[in-house]
Amino acid sequence: MGTRRIRCGNEGMAGHRNRRQWLMIGERIATLGQRSHPRRHSALVLTALVPRCNVIVLDVHDGADRSRLDALVGGADVLVTTMRPSTATRLGLTAEWSAGHNPRLVHASITGWGPSGPWADLKGYEALVMAKLGYLHCKSRLSTRPGPSYISVPYASWGAAHTALHGI
């Protein structure tokens, strides 16, 4: 049957790549992501990919929906979050919360800038991460115009996804 894995967060490249690797090795995954909706602003969409795709909308501020989320986390092996630390805290999806519901759960967090520090709550866009790493400057000779050269390969997202996969 394999690992029961839940992924929470936005649909960024690192999250997609991490999920794809788990699927390729035949693991069971439930994906939990924020969904912007006029009436359910803090709603979450849960897609269980085993064996069919089922979609369940959960509002983490609703008691019954939160109980369903607690039950999912209680029976999971791995929880991967791909959101900014302040968002995870606001939604109550922190490592401390998940450890309280399932002490054996492996909780991995993929963020653009890490869990703390002055950049922690900035969005981790691929180009920004690559610029901060200095990669856009070192590849500046790829174009004839002044300024940075943008790289089409998402190295930062691949690195984040595979580091999380190997860490788990």
Side-chain angles (χ1 to χ4, degrees):
M1 190 167 280
T3 304
R4 289 170 299 183
R5 181 178 170 273
I6 299 173
R7 191 185 76 75
C8 298
N10 62 24
E11 292 297 319
M13 280 191 274
H16 281 302
R17 298 203 188 295
N18 185 268
R19 179 177 53 204
R20 185 182 323 155
Q21 292 298 320
W22 281 90
L23 288 171
M24 288 173 63
I25 59 175
E27 298 297 348
R28 295 176 51 184
I29 298 177
T31 299
L32 195 64
Q34 285 185 304
R35 180 176 201 162
S36 181
H37 189 278
R39 284 192 263 157
R40 295 189 90 179
H41 187 62
S42 62
L44 297 175
V45 177
L46 174 67
T47 308
L49 299 174
V50 185
R52 300 178 302 276
C53 181
N54 299 310
V55 177
I56 304 165
V57 177
L58 299 177
D59 181 349
V60 296
H61 301 295
D62 177 69
D65 285 355
R66 190 59 190 223
S67 295
R68 290 179 77 185
L69 177 60
D70 292 349
L72 282 169
V73 170
D77 298 314
V78 178
L79 174 66
V80 179
T81 59
T82 57
M83 60 185 74
R84 291 176 282 178
S86 62
T87 303
T89 300
R90 188 180 78 246
L91 296 176
L93 298 172
T94 62
E96 295 78 20
W97 169 82
S98 59
H101 288 287
N102 185 347
R104 64 176 181 74
L105 182 76
V106 175
H107 184 130
S109 179
I110 301 173
T111 68
W113 309 106
S116 62
W119 292 39
D121 288 318
L122 296 178
K123 292 186 178 184
Y125 295 121
E126 181 76 21
L128 294 177
V129 174
M130 295 294 281
K132 182 65 176 166
L133 291 170
Y135 208 79
L136 299 182
H137 174 72
C138 75
K139 295 294 184 182
S140 62
R141 286 185 267 163
L142 290 175
S143 85
T144 56
R145 63 167 176 72
S149 294
Y150 294 98
I151 313 302
S152 62
V153 178
Y155 294 112
S157 293
W158 282 354
H162 286 280
T163 300
L165 180 69
H166 291 286
I168 294 167

